[in-house]
Structure formats: C-alpha cells, structure tokens
Amino acid sequence: MAASSLSLSWASTTISNKLNVPHLNEALQPTSLPTTNTLKCMRGATIIEESHHNRRALLLGFGALTATLFPSTSVLAQEKPKNYEAFVDLEDGYSYYYPADWREFEFLAHDSAFKDRYMQLHNVRVRFIPTDKKDIHDLGSMEQVITDLVTKVYSSPNQEATIMNMEERSEDGKNYCTVEFRLESRNFAVDSFATIAIANGRYYTMIVVANDRRWKKYRNQLKVIADSFKVMDI
C-alpha cells in the first residue's frame, strides 16, 4: 500500500469466555452480532479463526469480580471509571475499559471489538500479530513506528493522515505508545486513538475510532479507552 501524505504536528502519552469460570459462564451468555468492516486492517498477519462461542468475550460488570479472584489482572485492581465496563482476556493477555452502553461486535481479523449502539462508527478494536521483539522500542524510533502505523496500516492511498499527538507511558514494566490522528478523504474524515504494546511474543494494537464531526464532543470519553489498554503476562 502506498503511504498517504502526512502532516506532522507532534506533541512531546468483561472477562473472556476463554477463562471458563463455571459460575460466571452459567450466569452470562455471549451475544452473537454481525460482522462489520469500516477501516483497513493490519497487513501480513495470519489469523486463526475459531468459532464465535469459543472466541468471543462475555460482557461482565466490573462489580461481579474482585482483584483477589484474578490478582495478576491490573485492570481488576483499579476503580472502574463511571459508565465504563472492563474487558479482560486472560488467555490472550490484555484488558481495557469500554463505555457501558457499547455492544460487542465482530471485526475481521481482530480479537475483540465493541461499538456504540447508535453511532456505529464509534468503536474500539484490538488485534495482535506474532513478533520476536520484547518491547515497542525494539521496533525502532517511536516517531517512525507511529508514522508507519498510521500511514501504511490505518490509512488508504486516497486519505491524508495527520498525526496530532503522541504519548508514551510505562505501567507494571510494560511500555505503551498512544497516537491521536485524523484520516481525511474528499468527503469524509475520521479521528482515532491507536495504542501499541508488546508482550507474550505478540505485537498488540488497539484503535478507537469516531467520526471527525463528533470527535471534539467524545474525545475525552474515547481517550479513557485508549489509556486503559494494558497487556499482561500469560
């Protein structure tokens, strides 16, 4: 894919069904939802698809579990933000918060995804691919890594990409980088946060997307999702 033109304005930051906890699985059942595809996916990954009921996560209120039940899961040890729910995938080693009124859906080649019930372009998606790297800094300079991610993975040849902000953070010995960017074509624009991390021999990417016209109103809500993304050892 040809890289899009890029204008830089850098600024110097549900528990999974795979867990198979009997009393939780009896109380909660996964919801089957249609597949949607609105943005290009990362290239070069081989994804092994499993059945919906084996792969998809259960929607679970944070209050149903305690940190003592899953002491290794840092998201469960924190106070859940108001009006958000926790998604925790202990088998694949990641977690994040999503708005409580969003619903799960399937997105091609992604491991988990949730979207707004009414504004369906507003969504969060997570995927991962194998890597021999141990940390995101092993990929190279973060400026170049993020530029390549935005222009060669998330944007199409007919879109102009603008990187507005990039932030790095470190938690529990894991490093993360989150980028805020806009993709514009002739008649349409979307804004996004993307967060990357490496753990367990996997390169994880989360993207949170919204229509450009609504970005200013919902940006802070979506930033909570991007900042909540964490990986854990499995």
Side-chain angles (χ1 to χ4, degrees):
M1 180 186 301
S4 305
S5 59
L6 175 68
S7 59
L8 294 177
S9 54
W10 292 106
S12 16
T13 163
T14 331
I15 300 300
S16 173
N17 190 27
K18 306 166 195 175
L19 189 59
N20 194 28
V21 180
H23 70 280
L24 295 181
N25 291 338
E26 291 172 3
L28 298 164
Q29 295 298 324
T31 302
S32 178
L33 293 168
T35 299
T36 306
N37 195 351
T38 57
L39 286 180
K40 292 190 178 295
C41 303
M42 191 174 291
R43 303 170 298 167
T46 301
I47 303 297
I48 301 174
E49 295 295 340
E50 299 177 10
S51 69
H52 175 78
H53 288 286
N54 289 334
R55 292 289 300 164
R56 305 314 301 160
L58 297 176
L59 306 185
L60 180 65
F62 182 84
L65 292 175
T66 64
T68 56
L69 180 58
F70 303 112
S72 64
T73 307
S74 60
V75 70
L76 294 177
Q78 303 175 16
E79 182 179 357
K80 177 171 61 76
K82 184 178 180 180
N83 300 323
Y84 289 82
E85 297 293 347
F87 179 92
V88 182
D89 188 335
L90 296 179
E91 181 175 325
D92 288 317
Y94 68 91
S95 64
Y96 57 91
Y97 294 126
Y98 64 93
D101 59 346
W102 284 22
R103 64 179 183 177
E104 188 183 17
F105 76 113
E106 291 210 37
F107 195 97
L108 182 65
H110 285 69
D111 192 66
S112 66
F114 290 86
K115 65 182 177 181
D116 190 287
R117 290 180 179 272
Y118 306 104
M119 297 175 290
Q120 295 191 9
L121 186 59
H122 290 208
N123 65 78
V124 56
R125 312 188 303 270
V126 174
R127 67 165 298 163
F128 49 82
I129 58 174
T131 182
D132 60 358
K133 307 300 184 183
K134 303 298 183 183
D135 184 84
I136 58 173
H137 295 105
D138 296 337
L139 298 169
S141 73
M142 281 299 95
E143 288 82 0
Q144 189 61 53
V145 169
I146 292 301
T147 298
D148 289 344
L149 179 71
V150 172
T151 61
K152 298 179 181 179
V153 175
Y154 288 125
S155 64
S156 300
N158 65 337
Q159 291 177 312
E160 179 179 354
T162 302
I163 295 176
M164 297 177 287
N165 187 40
M166 186 184 76
E167 300 174 351
E168 295 188 52
R169 60 184 167 92
S170 180
E171 295 186 44
D172 300 324
K174 303 290 193 299
N175 292 314
Y176 305 83
C177 186
T178 297
V179 58
E180 180 181 359
F181 63 96
R182 177 180 296 117
L183 300 178
E184 297 179 86
S185 54
R186 173 177 287 185
N187 299 315
F188 191 69
V190 294
D191 290 75
S192 304
F193 290 113
T195 299
I196 64 172
I198 289 179
N200 309 308
R202 299 172 175 182
Y203 178 21
Y204 297 83
T205 55
M206 164 193 272
I207 185 166
V208 188
V209 185
N211 188 302
D212 179 66
R213 291 176 297 176
R214 298 188 176 99
W215 186 252
K216 184 176 181 180
K217 179 178 181 179
Y218 292 100
R219 179 187 181 278
N220 291 342
Q221 177 197 50
L222 302 178
K223 186 66 159 55
V224 172
I225 306 173
D227 288 344
S228 73
F229 183 68
K230 294 181 176 64
V231 293
M232 65 195 84
D233 294 330
I234 56 176

